[in-house]
């Protein structure tokens, strides 16, 4: 039986919505520039930049997990928001530390947030926008007053060492936002959302093994089926089409024209995809928020990480109209429209070099919430065991 729903169901028609009041990101200190990629891949800097727009990507050190990166980003976002109490945590990821349980409850405990609502969202690279919709729902329904939303990935754990097509693109990182219930006319308000999916394309981006399907038919799978696989040409076409359509839908719901958009932040998948979507909306290149050259594709973390990077560099100003759009495995896609708020200086690890003062300040906020957490020395390399004890 097939059920059909309206293709443009109204969203956010209530007077209240989610209001952004804090954002921050975190990337591992270990950078892998194009010239350091494996020699067996037979690539050089110019070739990688031409195909992807990426100059380097970050890699988590051995023993450092998605939950560890999420903890660092979340602590910084809470510090930006002034350390408010939150009563729900949402984690968007496709690289969870374990298949079960969800990561969000453990993150809430590590942050010292108490016995609050916590759950994961699995929508691959669309995860942050899907998580944003979940946060809006929790806030406007009265289930929560404030929500911590985190996008975090350690894609390096899924990459086939022989697959250069994915290896040159994906990086590790995390970013988080703090949202509170507020009015639609407030700075920081999420004004419109659009979500969509098409399961007929679920094999275009996947990790075939590792789940219940493999466990029920183990003879059909081999070791390589636990690696990330993507059919790049078809994904490119789908990503451009779906993000463009979704962006237009959310613009209509927000009652904005394309020329009203001050800043456009798409999922940082590939520079050519970003350019194609920007051209089709259209939003000129100078209004686009991007950090793909420095961090690569960080999955569910990519949109908030790009926004936190831009905020740290002073490129986002209060009152600007911001359009977000994403596409990922599933297939899934989604878009959002919001007005940027006035925020304090973001204590963010800049992707052009470590800001040790910011690391120390954000660590103090995390330890104040959970005194059991030992201190981190921001000057210690990520490969040092002392750092792994901090985020273990």
């Amino acid at each position: 039986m097939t059920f059909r729903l309206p293709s443009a169901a109204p969203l956010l028609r209530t007077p209240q919505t989610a209001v952004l009041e804090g954002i921050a990101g975190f990337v591992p200190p270990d950078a892998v520039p194009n010239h350091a990629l494996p020699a067996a891949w037979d690539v050089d800097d110019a070739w990688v930049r031409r195909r992807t727009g990426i100059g380097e990507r970050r890699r988590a050190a051995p023993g450092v997990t998605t939950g560890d990166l999420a903890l660092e980003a979340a602590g910084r976002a809470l510090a930006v928001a002034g350390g408010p109490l939150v009563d729900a945590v949402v984690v968007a990821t496709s690289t969870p530390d374990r298949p079960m349980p969800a990561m969000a409850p453990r993150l809430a405990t590590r942050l010292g947030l108490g016995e609050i609502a916590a759950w994961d969202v699995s929508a691959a690279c669309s995860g942050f926008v899907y998580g944003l919709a979940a946060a809006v729902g929790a806030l406007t329904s009265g289930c929560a007053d404030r929500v911590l939303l985190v996008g975090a990935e350690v894609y390096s754990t899924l990459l086939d060492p022989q697959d250069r097509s994915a290896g040159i693109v994906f990086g590790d990182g995390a970013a988080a936002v703090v949202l509170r219930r507020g009015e639609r006319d407030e700075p920081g308000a999420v004004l419109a959302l659009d979500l969509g999916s098409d399961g007929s394309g679920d094999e275009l981006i996947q990790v075939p093994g590792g789940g219940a399907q493999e466990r029920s038919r183990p003879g059909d799978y081999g070791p390589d089926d636990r690696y990330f696989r993507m059919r790049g040409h078809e994904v490119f076409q789908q990503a451009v089409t779906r993000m463009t359509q979704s962006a237009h839908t959310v613009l209509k719901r927000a009652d904005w024209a394309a020329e009203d958009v001050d800043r456009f932040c798409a999922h940082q998948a590939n520079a050519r995809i970003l350019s194609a979507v920007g051209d089709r909306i259209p939003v000129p290149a100078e209004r686009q928020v991007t950090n793909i050259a420095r961090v690569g594709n960080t999955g569910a973390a990519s949109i908030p990480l790009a926004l936190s990077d831009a905020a740290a560099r002073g490129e986002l100003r209060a009152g600007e109209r911001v359009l977000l759009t994403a596409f990922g495995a599933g297939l899934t896609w989604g878009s959002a429209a919001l007005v940027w708020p006035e925020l304090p200086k973001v204590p963010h690890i800049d992707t052009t070099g470590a800001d040790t003062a910011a690391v120390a300040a954000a660590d103090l906020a995390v330890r104040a919430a959970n005194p059991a957490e030992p201190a981190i020395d921001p000057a210690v390399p990520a490969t040092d065991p002392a750092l792994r004890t901090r985020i273990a």
Side-chain angles (χ1 to χ4, degrees), residues 90-353:
V90 181
V91 175
T93 186
S94 50
T95 59
D97 290 355
R98 293 173 287 177
M100 186 174 65
M103 289 177 50
R106 176 61 179 159
L107 177 61
T109 295
R110 294 177 77 181
L111 288 167
L113 298 176
E115 299 176 349
I116 62 174
W119 68 95
D120 289 2
V121 170
S122 178
C125 297
S126 303
F128 178 76
V129 178
Y130 268 72
L132 187 60
V136 169
L139 292 166
T140 58
S141 68
C143 289
D145 294 320
R146 274 190 174 86
V147 175
L148 173 66
L149 169 60
V150 185
E153 307 282 11
V154 179
Y155 264 108
S156 56
T157 60
L158 295 180
L159 298 179
D160 184 345
Q162 310 304 317
D163 182 8
R164 75 177 186 183
S165 63
I168 65 175
V169 171
F170 287 93
D172 303 335
V177 298
V178 178
L179 301 151
R180 63 171 172 82
R181 188 186 308 120
E183 305 301 319
R184 291 173 54 82
D185 59 358
E186 291 186 63
V190 180
L191 299 179
L193 288 160
D194 175 67
L195 303 175
S197 73
D198 179 6
S200 68
D202 65 349
E203 294 185 353
L204 296 184
I205 311 169
Q206 63 170 326
V207 178
Q213 187 168 274
E214 178 189 354
R215 292 172 184 270
S216 66
R217 302 197 306 269
D220 296 345
Y221 294 83
D224 288 351
D225 289 318
R226 299 204 175 189
Y227 289 130
F228 175 91
R229 303 297 180 200
M230 179 170 65
R231 284 151 49 182
H233 180 68
E234 294 167 86
V235 168
F236 184 100
Q237 294 177 316
Q238 286 278 350
V240 172
T241 298
R242 300 300 193 177
M243 284 197 285
T244 301
Q245 291 174 342
S246 181
H248 282 146
T249 296
V250 95
L251 286 174
K252 183 177 180 180
R253 291 177 179 171
D255 197 23
W256 293 356
E259 54 266 29
D260 294 328
V261 175
D262 298 303
R263 305 294 285 171
F264 171 56
C265 185
H267 163 53
Q268 307 289 291
N270 176 302
R272 293 187 298 167
I273 291 175
L274 300 180
S275 178
V277 175
D279 288 346
R280 285 163 174 77
I281 290 177
V283 178
E286 61 269 19
R287 297 186 189 177
Q288 297 181 29
V289 175
T290 178
N291 67 347
I292 191 171
R294 299 185 300 279
V295 298
N297 181 340
T298 55
S302 77
I303 286 178
L305 188 56
L307 291 173
S308 62
D309 269 348
R313 295 192 298 270
E315 296 176 4
L316 286 168
R317 293 184 293 274
E320 288 187 324
R321 295 181 174 187
V322 181
L323 173 65
L324 313 177
T325 191
F327 173 86
L331 300 171
T332 59
W333 56 87
S335 299
L338 65 135
V339 177
W340 197 254
E342 184 74 47
L343 293 176
K345 175 68 175 177
V346 177
H348 176 62
I349 301 300
D350 188 80
T351 53
T352 60

Side-chain angles (χ1 to χ4, degrees), residues 51-68:
R51 292 178 63 89
T52 68
I54 298 170
E56 67 178 32
R57 68 290 297 147
R58 299 300 177 102
R59 293 283 187 260
V64 176
T65 71
T66 300
D68 298 330

